[in-house]
């Protein structure tokens, strides 16, 4: 069987696909889940609160309130149109494998992800597109090679969870 790859919009759907694939007889060592995180704007995140207030606005010295989404200054350009960074910023992708049915997660480098996809048999353009999808927050399930019925694995990957 050649390696199969499917993209899912969230971790839950990918996890359901992994369960179906392993139930179809694919050994856990032949299943990998590649997951990335999209870049976030810290200004869209909740800011906390104080004394029962919801934290939708950030106070200012001397009164007044400004929106957390408002820019707070910049070196060049319009601060209101730039992404706000934070301490939680991390460009991180993970690869989860299931040797002997045990979930094992490791952090992967960009080059390593592309190499993994190329080694699995995907062409260069597809591997690039899949790495880009990971940066946008998609989740990839990579299955194979394994000595199981390809059609059964494809049905397991494509099945819609009820």
């Amino acid at each position: 069987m050649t390696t199969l790859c499917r993209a899912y919009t969230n971790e839950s759907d990918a996890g359901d696909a992994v369960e179906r694939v392993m139930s179809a007889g694919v050994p856990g060592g032949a299943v990998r889940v590649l997951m990335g995180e999209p870049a976030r704007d810290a200004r869209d995140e909740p800011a906390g609160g104080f004394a029962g207030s919801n934290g939708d606005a950030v106070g200012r010295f001397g009164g007044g309130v400004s929106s957390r989404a408002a820019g707070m200054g910049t070196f060049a350009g319009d601060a209101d149109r730039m992404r706000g960074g934070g301490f939680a910023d991390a460009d991180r992708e993970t690869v989860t494998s299931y040797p002997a049915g045990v979930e094992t997660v490791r952090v992967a480098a960009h080059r390593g992800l592309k190499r993994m996809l190329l080694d699995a048999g995907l062409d260069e353009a597809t591997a690039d597109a899949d790495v880009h999808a990971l940066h946008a927050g998609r989740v990839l399930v990579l299955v194979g090679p394994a000595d199981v019925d390809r059609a059964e694995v494809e049905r397991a990957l494509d099945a819609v969870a009820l």
Side-chain angles (χ1 to χ4, degrees):
M1 176 185 116
T2 58
T3 302
L4 299 171
C5 184
R6 295 292 189 277
Y8 298 91
T9 56
N10 59 59
E11 186 176 359
S12 176
D13 290 346
D16 292 343
V18 167
E19 287 182 27
R20 290 190 304 268
V21 164
M22 290 174 59
S23 293
V26 176
V31 178
R32 289 170 286 182
V33 176
L34 288 66
M35 192 165 28
E37 291 186 31
R40 296 191 177 121
D41 190 335
R43 295 176 302 169
D44 295 335
E45 302 294 325
F50 177 75
S53 68
N54 63 5
D56 287 339
V58 178
R60 221 188 279 171
F61 178 75
V65 175
S66 64
S67 167
R68 179 176 170 133
M72 296 177 65
T74 182
F75 175 71
D78 182 3
D80 287 336
R81 301 182 79 191
M82 295 179 162
R83 180 177 99 51
F87 289 109
D89 278 359
D91 184 10
R92 172 183 52 225
E93 287 81 32
T94 59
V95 176
T96 305
S97 57
Y98 303 86
V102 177
E103 182 178 298
T104 305
V105 181
R106 67 178 174 82
V107 175
H110 297 299
R111 287 188 323 252
L113 290 173
K114 184 174 178 181
R115 173 63 32 213
M116 182 184 302
L117 294 169
L118 291 171
D119 290 348
L122 283 92
D123 61 83
E124 184 100 15
T126 303
D128 285 335
D130 284 347
V131 169
H132 181 70
L134 287 170
H135 292 301
R138 300 283 293 218
V139 182
L140 301 177
V141 176
L142 196 60
V143 179
D147 189 23
V148 293
D149 180 29
R150 178 186 173 102
E152 187 175 348
V153 174
E154 285 181 333
R155 280 192 298 275
L157 285 170
D158 297 335
V160 177
L162 301 176

